[in-house]
Amino acid sequence: MVMKQFYSFMFAFSRKIHFSLATLLITGLITGLFSLALPAYADSVTASLDKNVVTENDIVQLTIRADFTNTGNGPDLTPLKKDFDIVSQSQSSQFSFNLGSNTAMSYWVISLMPKSVGTFTIPPIKIGQYASQPLTLTVKNAPEMLDKNGNPPVMLKTRVSSDSPYLQQQVIFTMKLYTSVSLNNANISVPSNPDLIFEQLKDDQSEFKEINGTRYQVLTRKYLAFPQKSGKITIAPQTMQAMMQMGSGQRIVRIQSQPINLQVLPIPPSYTNDNWLPSEGVTINTKLEKPKGTVRVGDTLIWTINIDAKDSLPEQIPQLTFNSTKAYKLYPEPATFSSQKNDKGIIGHQTIKIQVVPTQKGTIKLPDVSVTYWDTNKRVEKTVTQSTPELAIAPLPTSTSEKTNNVTPKPKTLDKPLPPQSRSVAPISLAKQEKDQSNPSDDTPKPIHTHLVKEQSDVNWRLYIVIGLAILTVLLLLVCLLLFWKKKKSKDDESNVPTLKEFAPLTSSDEKSAFQSLIECCRQDNITELRSYLLEWARHRWGDEQIHSIEDIKRLAGSVTLTQLLMEAELMLYSNQTSHQWQGSSLADALEEYQTGQPKKTQASQLKTLYPNF
């Protein structure tokens, strides 16, 4: 009995064991099938270097691999820019498909050049949410490359024309690149500094020069530099990077020059002029062009002023202004600027043209042209002055002199013309009387037909005179009627013309508000609205009966300065030269001086800032 129970237990236990083994085998089989169907992903980023030790100016290649497909924008190379220059980079992808599995990998190959010597750590490079492991690179000093004469194949030298210039004085910055080997893709830096204004002087110049037995090709590049503040200014070292052709192949070479320090001097305390102009020399030329023949009052003359300043930009030359006088009126045009460059620097040129209109007879004497500058060679203040030759002005011609000059003598007639003869007059041979037959001894003729001819001639002359007088009388009557009709029509037209008060009523309440609006119009350089604001203020001040035009303002104001500025504004308003913009500040100052009776205070000019763009 006991043995039977034992065998039953063993049978049941064996069946359970077989079932468990079968279940385990089936589960393993299903798991294996699912694992074959799913792709084998191992998301990671791997970085490697082609060499861990390099010499100076050598290139090392960094390879980054991503073992997943969604790489986004690729690797973030920003951490590398601190110690390396990225020369180039490329990208490739690789895909593989196997039975039940697939693999995707992306590669980036980045060429790096170390910026200095030492041991560097390439930080982890991120792609998406994954990052590579850090790497270590050692950069050693490269043995100096010298040719058989002991000279380097490439050199970069810089120099300046003066290391202690004055503020805004020209400094010539020269770069010379010496090469004895072939270079490809040369990249030379451009000098820059926030306290210096650089402008290239001229195109690059190339020449060949032998130094210590080595023949170099010398590339010269010159810049103009203008310091904008006093004190110490450092021009950073300039660099050159290129691919150099060596016997064993190509190699990247990178060189740099030495830094240059400038000690900029301020404006000397002994300089008295408000306009600061540092220059080696200033010249002035003036010319007064006149029309042909006699120059009279009212003729237009052209006054041309040319100013040249060595080692200065044309914008540095101060703009000159001149005032009109009782003898002449001046109407200046906008100044024009130009420059000329040579090996010694720049020459700034300014041209001023002024229209001169004489207003009275006599000798006209224009003011002298003076420019004050600081001689940068002798380091002293100088003033250049140029005068314009005087010119005789004749008065306007009178009508009497014109008649005297234009009268021509009438030609004298030798014979007096005969009076007109009537067609009824008989021939002279028929005017003789026939002899009386009854008295044949009487030979005295009797003028019967001659008396008749004389009477007819007198009648014809009288008739002509009467007809002429009648025609003349009719013409005079017609002329009088025409003049009377025109005069009557003009009176009717004048009676129908509205007055200024009716046509343009006042818009301001009082003189003070009208004057304030006029000053704002002048300050805003609004020449188109100037006339209306002037009339508005003048009507408040003198009344509508006194003001009809701008001429009434000139007459009532009695100010020479105000009259001159108003004439210049009118000339600018009706001038064809629309390129010149009217400046109303002078008129505003003159109006305020006239209104208050007190002269306005002037402010000294400050140092001009040069234009930052060329």
PDB file of all heavy atoms in Angstrom, residues 190-212:
ATOM      1  N   VAL A 190      42.738  92.002 -41.135  1.00  0.00           N
ATOM      2  CA  VAL A 190      42.535  93.428 -41.377  1.00  0.00           C
ATOM      3  C   VAL A 190      42.645  94.157 -40.039  1.00  0.00           C
ATOM      4  O   VAL A 190      41.991  93.770 -39.070  1.00  0.00           O
ATOM      5  CB  VAL A 190      41.165  93.690 -42.021  1.00  0.00           C
ATOM      6  CG1 VAL A 190      40.927  95.183 -42.203  1.00  0.00           C
ATOM      7  CG2 VAL A 190      41.060  92.968 -43.356  1.00  0.00           C
ATOM      8  N   PRO A 191      43.465  95.195 -39.943  1.00  0.00           N
ATOM      9  CA  PRO A 191      43.617  95.888 -38.649  1.00  0.00           C
ATOM     10  C   PRO A 191      42.315  96.552 -38.221  1.00  0.00           C
ATOM     11  O   PRO A 191      41.561  97.081 -39.048  1.00  0.00           O
ATOM     12  CB  PRO A 191      44.711  96.925 -38.931  1.00  0.00           C
ATOM     13  CG  PRO A 191      44.662  97.129 -40.409  1.00  0.00           C
ATOM     14  CD  PRO A 191      44.281  95.810 -41.002  1.00  0.00           C
ATOM     15  N   SER A 192      42.053  96.520 -36.933  1.00  0.00           N
ATOM     16  CA  SER A 192      40.845  97.136 -36.384  1.00  0.00           C
ATOM     17  C   SER A 192      41.100  97.525 -34.941  1.00  0.00           C
ATOM     18  O   SER A 192      41.880  96.878 -34.233  1.00  0.00           O
ATOM     19  CB  SER A 192      39.642  96.188 -36.479  1.00  0.00           C
ATOM     20  OG  SER A 192      39.857  95.037 -35.696  1.00  0.00           O
ATOM     21  N   ASN A 193      40.436  98.586 -34.526  1.00  0.00           N
ATOM     22  CA  ASN A 193      40.507  99.048 -33.143  1.00  0.00           C
ATOM     23  C   ASN A 193      39.370 100.048 -32.947  1.00  0.00           C
ATOM     24  O   ASN A 193      39.147 100.911 -33.805  1.00  0.00           O
ATOM     25  CB  ASN A 193      41.862  99.719 -32.843  1.00  0.00           C
ATOM     26  CG  ASN A 193      42.065  99.985 -31.369  1.00  0.00           C
ATOM     27  OD1 ASN A 193      41.406 100.826 -30.769  1.00  0.00           O
ATOM     28  ND2 ASN A 193      42.994  99.263 -30.771  1.00  0.00           N
ATOM     29  N   PRO A 194      38.611  99.955 -31.851  1.00  0.00           N
ATOM     30  CA  PRO A 194      37.482 100.887 -31.664  1.00  0.00           C
ATOM     31  C   PRO A 194      37.901 102.336 -31.523  1.00  0.00           C
ATOM     32  O   PRO A 194      37.073 103.229 -31.733  1.00  0.00           O
ATOM     33  CB  PRO A 194      36.818 100.360 -30.381  1.00  0.00           C
ATOM     34  CG  PRO A 194      37.868  99.577 -29.677  1.00  0.00           C
ATOM     35  CD  PRO A 194      38.723  98.983 -30.746  1.00  0.00           C
ATOM     36  N   ASP A 195      39.168 102.594 -31.197  1.00  0.00           N
ATOM     37  CA  ASP A 195      39.634 103.962 -31.011  1.00  0.00           C
ATOM     38  C   ASP A 195      40.395 104.484 -32.217  1.00  0.00           C
ATOM     39  O   ASP A 195      40.998 105.565 -32.152  1.00  0.00           O
ATOM     40  CB  ASP A 195      40.529 104.051 -29.776  1.00  0.00           C
ATOM     41  CG  ASP A 195      39.786 103.686 -28.500  1.00  0.00           C
ATOM     42  OD1 ASP A 195      38.586 104.020 -28.414  1.00  0.00           O
ATOM     43  OD2 ASP A 195      40.389 103.054 -27.609  1.00  0.00           O
ATOM     44  N   LEU A 196      40.399 103.723 -33.317  1.00  0.00           N
ATOM     45  CA  LEU A 196      41.081 104.127 -34.541  1.00  0.00           C
ATOM     46  C   LEU A 196      40.131 103.972 -35.716  1.00  0.00           C
ATOM     47  O   LEU A 196      39.349 103.015 -35.775  1.00  0.00           O
ATOM     48  CB  LEU A 196      42.345 103.289 -34.781  1.00  0.00           C
ATOM     49  CG  LEU A 196      43.509 103.475 -33.807  1.00  0.00           C
ATOM     50  CD1 LEU A 196      44.553 102.400 -34.046  1.00  0.00           C
ATOM     51  CD2 LEU A 196      44.133 104.845 -33.969  1.00  0.00           C
ATOM     52  N   ILE A 197      40.205 104.903 -36.651  1.00  0.00           N
ATOM     53  CA  ILE A 197      39.473 104.793 -37.909  1.00  0.00           C
ATOM     54  C   ILE A 197      40.473 104.396 -38.989  1.00  0.00           C
ATOM     55  O   ILE A 197      41.421 105.130 -39.273  1.00  0.00           O
ATOM     56  CB  ILE A 197      38.785 106.115 -38.273  1.00  0.00           C
ATOM     57  CG1 ILE A 197      37.673 106.421 -37.274  1.00  0.00           C
ATOM     58  CG2 ILE A 197      38.204 106.054 -39.680  1.00  0.00           C
ATOM     59  CD1 ILE A 197      36.972 107.732 -37.532  1.00  0.00           C
ATOM     60  N   PHE A 198      40.278 103.197 -39.566  1.00  0.00           N
ATOM     61  CA  PHE A 198      41.186 102.671 -40.587  1.00  0.00           C
ATOM     62  C   PHE A 198      40.561 102.839 -41.965  1.00  0.00           C
ATOM     63  O   PHE A 198      39.346 102.650 -42.148  1.00  0.00           O
ATOM     64  CB  PHE A 198      41.491 101.188 -40.347  1.00  0.00           C
ATOM     65  CG  PHE A 198      42.469 100.936 -39.227  1.00  0.00           C
ATOM     66  CD1 PHE A 198      42.011 100.647 -37.952  1.00  0.00           C
ATOM     67  CD2 PHE A 198      43.834 100.994 -39.446  1.00  0.00           C
ATOM     68  CE1 PHE A 198      42.890 100.403 -36.917  1.00  0.00           C
ATOM     69  CE2 PHE A 198      44.730 100.759 -38.418  1.00  0.00           C
ATOM     70  CZ  PHE A 198      44.262 100.462 -37.150  1.00  0.00           C
ATOM     71  N   GLU A 199      41.392 103.186 -42.935  1.00  0.00           N
ATOM     72  CA  GLU A 199      40.994 103.268 -44.342  1.00  0.00           C
ATOM     73  C   GLU A 199      42.184 102.843 -45.194  1.00  0.00           C
ATOM     74  O   GLU A 199      43.297 103.341 -44.994  1.00  0.00           O
ATOM     75  CB  GLU A 199      40.563 104.683 -44.716  1.00  0.00           C
ATOM     76  CG  GLU A 199      40.161 104.816 -46.184  1.00  0.00           C
ATOM     77  CD  GLU A 199      39.838 106.240 -46.558  1.00  0.00           C
ATOM     78  OE1 GLU A 199      39.928 107.111 -45.680  1.00  0.00           O
ATOM     79  OE2 GLU A 199      39.524 106.495 -47.735  1.00  0.00           O
ATOM     80  N   GLN A 200      41.957 101.897 -46.115  1.00  0.00           N
ATOM     81  CA  GLN A 200      43.074 101.438 -46.944  1.00  0.00           C
ATOM     82  C   GLN A 200      43.538 102.572 -47.834  1.00  0.00           C
ATOM     83  O   GLN A 200      42.743 103.260 -48.487  1.00  0.00           O
ATOM     84  CB  GLN A 200      42.665 100.233 -47.782  1.00  0.00           C
ATOM     85  CG  GLN A 200      43.835  99.587 -48.530  1.00  0.00           C
ATOM     86  CD  GLN A 200      43.503  98.217 -49.069  1.00  0.00           C
ATOM     87  OE1 GLN A 200      42.473  97.645 -48.739  1.00  0.00           O
ATOM     88  NE2 GLN A 200      44.371  97.676 -49.904  1.00  0.00           N
ATOM     89  N   LEU A 201      44.852 102.783 -47.852  1.00  0.00           N
ATOM     90  CA  LEU A 201      45.423 103.915 -48.575  1.00  0.00           C
ATOM     91  C   LEU A 201      45.378 103.702 -50.072  1.00  0.00           C
ATOM     92  O   LEU A 201      44.916 104.556 -50.824  1.00  0.00           O
ATOM     93  CB  LEU A 201      46.854 104.154 -48.098  1.00  0.00           C
ATOM     94  CG  LEU A 201      47.616 105.298 -48.773  1.00  0.00           C
ATOM     95  CD1 LEU A 201      46.879 106.608 -48.576  1.00  0.00           C
ATOM     96  CD2 LEU A 201      49.034 105.405 -48.236  1.00  0.00           C
ATOM     97  N   LYS A 202      45.834 102.551 -50.545  1.00  0.00           N
ATOM     98  CA  LYS A 202      45.854 102.262 -51.977  1.00  0.00           C
ATOM     99  C   LYS A 202      45.904 100.755 -52.176  1.00  0.00           C
ATOM    100  O   LYS A 202      45.908  99.989 -51.209  1.00  0.00           O
ATOM    101  CB  LYS A 202      47.058 102.938 -52.644  1.00  0.00           C
ATOM    102  CG  LYS A 202      48.393 102.579 -52.022  1.00  0.00           C
ATOM    103  CD  LYS A 202      49.522 103.473 -52.526  1.00  0.00           C
ATOM    104  CE  LYS A 202      49.651 103.501 -54.010  1.00  0.00           C
ATOM    105  NZ  LYS A 202      50.815 104.251 -54.475  1.00  0.00           N
ATOM    106  N   ASP A 203      45.922 100.308 -53.418  1.00  0.00           N
ATOM    107  CA  ASP A 203      45.956  98.878 -53.719  1.00  0.00           C
ATOM    108  C   ASP A 203      47.284  98.272 -53.281  1.00  0.00           C
ATOM    109  O   ASP A 203      48.298  98.966 -53.119  1.00  0.00           O
ATOM    110  CB  ASP A 203      45.746  98.646 -55.216  1.00  0.00           C
ATOM    111  CG  ASP A 203      44.372  99.098 -55.673  1.00  0.00           C
ATOM    112  OD1 ASP A 203      43.458  99.152 -54.817  1.00  0.00           O
ATOM    113  OD2 ASP A 203      44.218  99.407 -56.865  1.00  0.00           O
ATOM    114  N   ASP A 204      47.266  96.933 -53.113  1.00  0.00           N
ATOM    115  CA  ASP A 204      48.472  96.229 -52.690  1.00  0.00           C
ATOM    116  C   ASP A 204      49.573  96.376 -53.743  1.00  0.00           C
ATOM    117  O   ASP A 204      49.316  96.350 -54.955  1.00  0.00           O
ATOM    118  CB  ASP A 204      48.165  94.745 -52.469  1.00  0.00           C
ATOM    119  CG  ASP A 204      47.187  94.535 -51.314  1.00  0.00           C
ATOM    120  OD1 ASP A 204      46.992  95.482 -50.535  1.00  0.00           O
ATOM    121  OD2 ASP A 204      46.624  93.432 -51.208  1.00  0.00           O
ATOM    122  N   GLN A 205      50.801  96.504 -53.252  1.00  0.00           N
ATOM    123  CA  GLN A 205      51.968  96.621 -54.121  1.00  0.00           C
ATOM    124  C   GLN A 205      52.846  95.387 -53.922  1.00  0.00           C
ATOM    125  O   GLN A 205      53.047  94.919 -52.798  1.00  0.00           O
ATOM    126  CB  GLN A 205      52.764  97.882 -53.797  1.00  0.00           C
ATOM    127  CG  GLN A 205      51.951  99.170 -53.889  1.00  0.00           C
ATOM    128  CD  GLN A 205      51.502  99.467 -55.297  1.00  0.00           C
ATOM    129  OE1 GLN A 205      52.268  99.276 -56.255  1.00  0.00           O
ATOM    130  NE2 GLN A 205      50.277  99.937 -55.453  1.00  0.00           N
ATOM    131  N   SER A 206      53.355  94.839 -55.027  1.00  0.00           N
ATOM    132  CA  SER A 206      54.185  93.631 -54.972  1.00  0.00           C
ATOM    133  C   SER A 206      55.543  93.921 -55.591  1.00  0.00           C
ATOM    134  O   SER A 206      55.647  94.600 -56.630  1.00  0.00           O
ATOM    135  CB  SER A 206      53.500  92.474 -55.711  1.00  0.00           C
ATOM    136  OG  SER A 206      54.287  91.311 -55.651  1.00  0.00           O
ATOM    137  N   GLU A 207      56.593  93.397 -54.946  1.00  0.00           N
ATOM    138  CA  GLU A 207      57.952  93.551 -55.441  1.00  0.00           C
ATOM    139  C   GLU A 207      58.794  92.364 -54.955  1.00  0.00           C
ATOM    140  O   GLU A 207      58.338  91.571 -54.116  1.00  0.00           O
ATOM    141  CB  GLU A 207      58.552  94.871 -54.939  1.00  0.00           C
ATOM    142  CG  GLU A 207      58.651  94.956 -53.423  1.00  0.00           C
ATOM    143  CD  GLU A 207      59.285  96.246 -52.968  1.00  0.00           C
ATOM    144  OE1 GLU A 207      59.864  96.952 -53.807  1.00  0.00           O
ATOM    145  OE2 GLU A 207      59.212  96.547 -51.757  1.00  0.00           O
ATOM    146  N   PHE A 208      59.991  92.221 -55.501  1.00  0.00           N
ATOM    147  CA  PHE A 208      60.914  91.160 -55.104  1.00  0.00           C
ATOM    148  C   PHE A 208      62.124  91.799 -54.432  1.00  0.00           C
ATOM    149  O   PHE A 208      62.635  92.839 -54.869  1.00  0.00           O
ATOM    150  CB  PHE A 208      61.343  90.335 -56.316  1.00  0.00           C
ATOM    151  CG  PHE A 208      60.242  89.470 -56.875  1.00  0.00           C
ATOM    152  CD1 PHE A 208      59.432  89.939 -57.901  1.00  0.00           C
ATOM    153  CD2 PHE A 208      60.006  88.201 -56.359  1.00  0.00           C
ATOM    154  CE1 PHE A 208      58.411  89.163 -58.415  1.00  0.00           C
ATOM    155  CE2 PHE A 208      58.986  87.414 -56.867  1.00  0.00           C
ATOM    156  CZ  PHE A 208      58.183  87.891 -57.890  1.00  0.00           C
ATOM    157  N   LYS A 209      62.556  91.134 -53.364  1.00  0.00           N
ATOM    158  CA  LYS A 209      63.664  91.663 -52.578  1.00  0.00           C
ATOM    159  C   LYS A 209      64.502  90.500 -52.050  1.00  0.00           C
ATOM    160  O   LYS A 209      63.957  89.482 -51.623  1.00  0.00           O
ATOM    161  CB  LYS A 209      63.129  92.508 -51.418  1.00  0.00           C
ATOM    162  CG  LYS A 209      64.182  93.282 -50.672  1.00  0.00           C
ATOM    163  CD  LYS A 209      63.535  94.184 -49.633  1.00  0.00           C
ATOM    164  CE  LYS A 209      64.576  95.031 -48.913  1.00  0.00           C
ATOM    165  NZ  LYS A 209      63.945  95.912 -47.898  1.00  0.00           N
ATOM    166  N   GLU A 210      65.813  90.663 -52.071  1.00  0.00           N
ATOM    167  CA  GLU A 210      66.722  89.615 -51.583  1.00  0.00           C
ATOM    168  C   GLU A 210      67.227  89.998 -50.194  1.00  0.00           C
ATOM    169  O   GLU A 210      67.742  91.100 -49.974  1.00  0.00           O
ATOM    170  CB  GLU A 210      67.894  89.439 -52.547  1.00  0.00           C
ATOM    171  CG  GLU A 210      68.803  88.280 -52.168  1.00  0.00           C
ATOM    172  CD  GLU A 210      69.871  88.011 -53.215  1.00  0.00           C
ATOM    173  OE1 GLU A 210      69.697  88.493 -54.364  1.00  0.00           O
ATOM    174  OE2 GLU A 210      70.857  87.333 -52.882  1.00  0.00           O
ATOM    175  N   ILE A 211      67.049  89.048 -49.238  1.00  0.00           N
ATOM    176  CA  ILE A 211      67.466  89.264 -47.853  1.00  0.00           C
ATOM    177  C   ILE A 211      68.352  88.088 -47.429  1.00  0.00           C
ATOM    178  O   ILE A 211      67.883  86.937 -47.418  1.00  0.00           O
ATOM    179  CB  ILE A 211      66.252  89.389 -46.915  1.00  0.00           C
ATOM    180  CG1 ILE A 211      65.351  90.560 -47.344  1.00  0.00           C
ATOM    181  CG2 ILE A 211      66.704  89.578 -45.468  1.00  0.00           C
ATOM    182  CD1 ILE A 211      64.098  90.687 -46.527  1.00  0.00           C
ATOM    183  N   ASN A 212      69.587  88.371 -47.103  1.00  0.00           N
ATOM    184  CA  ASN A 212      70.537  87.345 -46.638  1.00  0.00           C
ATOM    185  C   ASN A 212      70.605  86.149 -47.586  1.00  0.00           C
ATOM    186  O   ASN A 212      70.632  84.988 -47.164  1.00  0.00           O
ATOM    187  CB  ASN A 212      70.161  86.866 -45.227  1.00  0.00           C
ATOM    188  CG  ASN A 212      70.255  87.987 -44.207  1.00  0.00           C
ATOM    189  OD1 ASN A 212      71.053  88.902 -44.340  1.00  0.00           O
ATOM    190  ND2 ASN A 212      69.401  87.913 -43.186  1.00  0.00           N
TER     191      ASN A 212
END
